[in-house]
Amino acid sequence: MFENRENETSGIENLGEFGLIDHLTKNFTINQKSTVKGIGDDAAVIACDSKMELVITTDLLLENVHFDLSYMPLKHLGYKAVVVNLSDVYAMNAEPTQITVSIAVSNRFPVEALEELYAGITAASKFYNVDVVGGDTTSSTTGLLISITAIGTVKKGEAILRSGAGVNDLLVVTGDLGAAYMGLQVLEREKQVFLVNPNSQPDLEPYSYLVERQLKPEARKDIPALLKELGVKPTSMIDISDGLSSEIIHLCKNSEVGCNLYEDKIPLDPQVITVCEEFNIDSTTIALNGGEDYELLFTIKTEDFEKVKGNPHLTIIGHMTEEKEGTHLITRANTKIPLIARGWNPLENKD
Ligand code: ADP
Ligand code: MG
């Protein structure tokens, strides 16, 4: 009846996040006609009626793994928990419509604190025009846990998958990269200062953009509309939650293509460049591996180049190649370095 599982040591650290998902899900089969796309994209796609498809995606946030309440206000946490899910909906070219919210809490949290969390959820649901239609509430013996599921709609056949990129397609990214990760580094540093000297109050003004990107990210709801306006239909799309490098590899694997990414094209905010110098970290490494940017990464056909060129929201950062050529970063010094997906590793706490 009672089993000691501690000695069963097929360590998940060898698989990493993506290897673990593949390993655990490889035996699932699709048996329902309505399942258009199952595991393996930003969201699943479910047939609805002759005109519409539904997309559905879920994310789990755990205290002290995904957020630290010593600098993450609960209102922001609620907002961010919604945003990270909606980002996956937009990455499918879909419009989010509903969310469900599940929480596990300990009695360490007064009602007022949970009201704050829900004020953030309410603000995000208003801004992104989604209805909160359910959830679950339970107790936790450790930290706070929040899990959100988002549902969206897309015209039948218009969902953009990770698998549609072709050889020679251009690789495009929205916004700029690395700011959320550097925001986290700044907040972590100030936390350590505060622990030593509780009377100190940090001056975060020079880091305002970075801290905002970490504490109050937004999902790119403007991009599907912008692409429609420009008359561009991406061939593949993904959102950037785990870092540019890892997301490029997802697009390449799913589309069976390779990629050349150009270091000098990667969009960086001036604050990222400055703070990387201050921390003595390479800004390209941060853009490639930082994560939590919630920007969209997509591929377009070469004939759409003129439509995208010069758009302030969009940067062409590379192009797709034959699969056998692999996925590479072409550095400023014109050397070719293989891209590595770091993702999440349970024994290597990247944050
Ligand atoms: P994203 O970063 O866009 O949220 P993930 O890397 O978390 O995507 O997940 C990749 C795919 O694997 C998605 O289709 C997701 O639904 C699926 N997935 C992740 N974890 C599990 C799990 N434990 N069981 C089944 N499917 C999972
Ligand atoms: Mg995603």
Side-chain angles (χ1 to χ4, degrees):
M1 184 176 172
F2 299 107
E3 289 176 60
N4 180 359
R5 308 221 101 141
E6 278 175 21
N7 294 326
E8 295 176 14
T9 54
S10 33
I12 53 174
E13 69 277 13
N14 298 325
L15 289 169
E17 176 186 1
F18 308 123
L20 182 63
I21 295 174
D22 287 348
H23 182 72
L24 295 177
T25 61
K26 64 175 185 277
N27 294 326
F28 289 133
T29 54
I30 301 293
N31 299 311
Q32 296 288 343
K33 250 172 57 193
S34 54
T35 307
V36 178
K37 175 75 202 171
I39 291 166
D41 220 294
D42 293 295
V45 182
I46 316 287
C48 184
D49 59 28
S50 62
K51 290 191 182 127
M52 281 289 179
E53 285 169 344
L54 296 179
V55 302
I56 178 158
T57 177
T58 194
D59 261 300
L60 177 62
L61 300 181
L62 265 180
E63 185 177 354
N64 297 331
V65 176
H66 298 102
F67 57 89
D68 183 331
L69 291 175
S70 55
Y71 48 75
M72 183 65 155
L74 280 158
K75 191 171 174 180
H76 286 69
L77 176 64
Y79 196 94
K80 184 170 175 175
V82 176
V83 162
V84 303
N85 274 275
L86 301 189
S87 178
D88 279 319
V89 173
Y90 294 118
M92 302 303 290
N93 195 36
E95 189 68 36
T97 47
Q98 288 89 11
I99 58 170
T100 63
V101 180
S102 300
I103 54 168
V105 284
S106 69
N107 56 13
R108 168 163 79 87
F109 294 95
V111 176
E112 289 76 12
L114 298 176
E115 284 172 357
E116 277 295 298
L117 180 74
Y118 271 71
I121 292 170
T122 305
S125 61
K126 279 207 181 113
F127 184 71
Y128 291 95
N129 193 22
V130 292
D131 295 339
V132 181
V133 294
D136 197 16
T137 307
T138 186
S139 59
S140 162
T141 50
T142 53
L144 175 66
L145 177 154
I146 173 162
S147 172
I148 293 189
T149 296
I151 295 170
T153 58
V154 59
K155 269 194 201 146
K156 191 178 171 183
E158 293 199 0
I160 300 176
L161 305 183
R162 296 176 176 182
S163 54
V167 175
N168 294 330
D169 283 1
L170 301 173
L171 183 67
V172 185
V173 71
T174 64
D176 54 73
L177 302 174
Y181 182 83
M182 289 317 294
L184 183 65
Q185 298 313 304
V186 168
L187 289 165
E188 281 287 343
R189 180 179 68 183
E190 297 311 325
K191 180 184 172 183
Q192 297 312 320
V193 174
F194 179 78
L195 289 176
V196 174
N197 177 7
N199 293 322
S200 73
Q201 278 304 322
D203 174 19
L204 292 175
E205 180 54 35
Y207 312 105
S208 54
Y209 178 65
L210 311 177
V211 170
E212 185 174 327
R213 292 278 280 176
Q214 171 58 221
L215 297 184
K216 194 175 175 289
E218 299 288 0
R220 293 309 303 254
K221 72 171 185 162
D222 54 324
I223 296 300
L226 173 69
L227 291 172
K228 206 168 276 175
E229 195 185 304
L230 295 173
V232 173
K233 183 161 194 265
T235 50
S236 68
M237 187 149 66
I238 189 168
D239 74 321
I240 303 183
S241 49
D242 296 326
L244 178 64
S245 190
S246 147
E247 315 301 1
I248 289 177
I249 289 169
H250 283 315
L251 286 187
C252 287
K253 274 203 177 135
N254 284 280
S255 299
E256 299 180 347
V257 293
C259 178
N260 283 337
L261 165 70
Y262 292 87
E263 182 181 22
D264 62 341
K265 305 282 187 228
I266 298 173
L268 301 171
D269 185 86
Q271 271 190 22
V272 169
I273 296 169
T274 312
V275 84
C276 279
E277 281 168 7
E278 190 183 325
F279 278 71
N280 203 13
I281 320 180
D282 176 41
S283 56
T284 302
T285 307
I286 298 311
L288 290 177
N289 302 309
E292 294 199 284
D293 293 308
Y294 302 109
E295 295 293 344
L296 294 176
L297 177 73
F298 55 91
T299 52
I300 59 167
K301 296 226 175 296
T302 44
E303 54 259 38
D304 286 334
F305 170 72
E306 290 294 332
K307 297 178 191 166
V308 162
K309 193 181 89 180
N311 189 294
H313 298 288
L314 308 174
T315 311
I316 300 167
I317 54 174
H319 61 85
M320 310 321 263
T321 61
E322 296 281 354
E323 188 176 24
K324 62 177 189 302
E325 291 182 38
T327 53
H328 290 97
L329 174 74
I330 314 294
T331 68
R332 288 194 189 90
N334 208 22
T335 52
K336 220 171 169 181
I337 303 175
L339 289 177
I340 300 164
R342 292 193 58 194
W344 159 90
N345 189 317
L347 284 192
E348 183 201 45
N349 195 346
K350 70 169 182 169
D351 298 330

